[in-house]
Amino acid sequence: MGTTQLDTVPEPKYWHLRTVLSEALDSEFSVGEILPNERDLAARFGVARATLRQALEQLELEGRLQRRRGVGTTVAPPRMGVDVGSEQHAWPGAAGDAWRAVDCTVAVPPAAVADILEIGHEEQVHTVRRSRVTHGQPVAAELLYVPASSVPALSAIDAASGAGRARAVLRELQRLSLETQDRAVELGSARADDAKELDRLPGAPVLVVTTRFYAEGRTAAVSVATYRADTCRLTFGDTGGVEIHHDPERRAS
């Protein structure tokens, strides 16, 4: 691909450049590859650096590029699907689960989570922290809230600390017979702790997926998973059902 003349194009220069760059990403670059610096790219396409930055920012919004601190601008991996409408139900940590257990603590959950679990606002629960990585990049972080009543056989020996403790909680949770689960999805902004774990700046757009797991006629666990909006897309299963809620207090994050 050589230098493209943009002066005669009726659409905005940055938008046409975005199209040209997108084609180049498909034909010349591989996932994770670092792009040339802005000065070289601007010279190659015969545009001002301000125009180039607009095109790069657009491609970043579309999930084609990632700006990584200390590395530069790299080609992003394909978007990861977040299934929000499937009939398939499984406990976290079941076979085929792509998440990695990181840690587990015992702490008071957010008030909104306590309300979903129907427990007192001062009651402590097991809080399992998990992460999900694609092509070597973090794309999602999860907090799974499990009340003690859902894992009554868990002992201090089984749940000593760290990732081992998290896996023990997940194993005990799977002893329950999962009846059903439901999910709610909303667009949010990365908080400081999420941003650090996802290698994003605070305030970056994220998808927040809240999942309720039902067993023995009650909510046995609640998952709040934060996905990078630039690397994920929503997919819907056979049900195709989408609910729209206007009550902000339904959010459990």
Side-chain angles (χ1 to χ4, degrees):
M1 178 183 64
T3 301
T4 302
Q5 297 296 323
L6 303 175
D7 291 338
T8 60
V9 179
E11 61 189 349
K13 287 185 178 181
Y14 86 90
W15 189 260
H16 181 68
L17 178 59
R18 167 255 173 214
T19 302
V20 174
L21 284 171
S22 182
E23 293 173 353
L25 295 180
D26 293 332
S27 61
E28 299 183 24
F29 297 90
S30 58
V31 171
E33 187 171 349
I34 302 174
L35 266 61
N37 60 45
E38 289 185 359
R39 182 182 60 187
D40 292 342
L41 284 175
R44 175 176 179 175
F45 296 107
V47 298
R49 292 178 67 173
T51 301
L52 175 68
R53 289 194 189 102
Q54 284 183 292
L56 294 176
E57 289 171 358
Q58 180 62 37
L59 288 171
E60 184 180 14
L61 287 173
E62 295 173 10
R64 299 300 312 277
L65 297 176
Q66 293 179 350
R67 296 189 181 187
R68 300 173 56 190
R69 285 172 287 189
V71 176
T73 301
T74 63
V75 180
R79 286 181 181 264
M80 179 185 70
V82 181
D83 189 358
V84 295
S86 173
E87 290 287 353
Q88 182 179 1
H89 303 300
W91 286 114
D97 192 334
W99 292 83
R100 178 177 63 89
V102 176
D103 195 8
C104 181
T105 59
V106 176
V108 174
V113 172
D115 289 340
I116 295 175
L117 291 171
E118 297 181 342
I119 62 175
H121 285 192
E122 300 303 320
E123 183 175 336
Q124 294 186 327
V125 301
H126 300 285
T127 304
V128 175
R129 185 163 60 90
R130 303 198 301 164
S131 65
R132 189 164 179 178
V133 175
T134 298
H135 290 84
Q137 295 298 311
V139 294
E142 179 196 53
L143 290 176
L144 177 69
Y145 301 95
V146 184
S149 59
S150 294
V151 288
L154 187 70
S155 70
I157 296 177
D158 292 332
S161 62
R165 179 176 187 160
R167 288 190 291 268
V169 171
L170 295 176
R171 283 196 302 269
E172 289 300 317
L173 190 61
Q174 291 173 44
R175 295 179 184 273
L176 296 176
S177 178
L178 179 61
E179 296 169 358
T180 186
Q181 66 190 55
D182 62 44
R183 291 187 178 96
V185 184
E186 60 186 319
L187 182 65
S189 300
R191 296 170 299 185
D193 51 348
D194 292 329
K196 182 178 180 179
E197 189 164 353
L198 297 176
D199 193 25
R200 304 296 288 164
L201 294 175
V206 293
L207 295 175
V208 180
V209 181
T210 303
T211 306
R212 300 173 63 169
F213 298 91
Y214 297 90
E216 301 179 349
R218 61 182 175 82
T219 302
V222 173
S223 161
V224 180
T226 302
Y227 294 81
R228 287 179 50 161
D230 61 328
T231 60
C232 301
R233 58 185 174 84
L234 300 181
T235 64
F236 296 87
D238 295 335
T239 59
V242 180
E243 294 184 58
I244 300 176
H245 300 283
H246 298 285
D247 183 358
E249 300 206 355
R250 289 183 60 89
R251 180 170 182 175
S253 62

